[in-house]
Amino acid sequence: MAFFTELFSRPRPQETARYRAALAVLNAMSNADRADINIKPADFPRIAREMSMR
């Protein structure tokens, strides 16, 4: 039981908040902006993960 208590009581890493923010920015982009930088919606999770690590 100690494992579950520790799992849920630990604070979330900062990357999680930054990942969500990066994903929101990518989703807010227009289709024209996406075409300019040549990314597709399938690339969003990977790009957001890279953005959150910086």
Side-chain angles (χ1 to χ4, degrees), residues 4-51:
F4 287 113
T5 304
E6 182 181 335
L7 179 68
F8 294 113
S9 66
R10 277 188 272 167
R12 290 185 177 183
Q14 290 295 323
E15 292 88 27
T16 305
R18 290 193 298 246
Y19 176 79
R20 288 182 180 170
L23 204 52
V25 167
L26 291 170
N27 283 322
M29 294 174 69
S30 69
N31 287 336
D33 290 337
R34 292 177 193 153
D36 285 344
I37 58 176
N38 199 18
I39 62 170
K40 296 179 177 40
D43 298 330
F44 287 1
R46 179 185 53 82
I47 294 170
R49 214 174 8 260
E50 290 172 2
M51 288 171 66

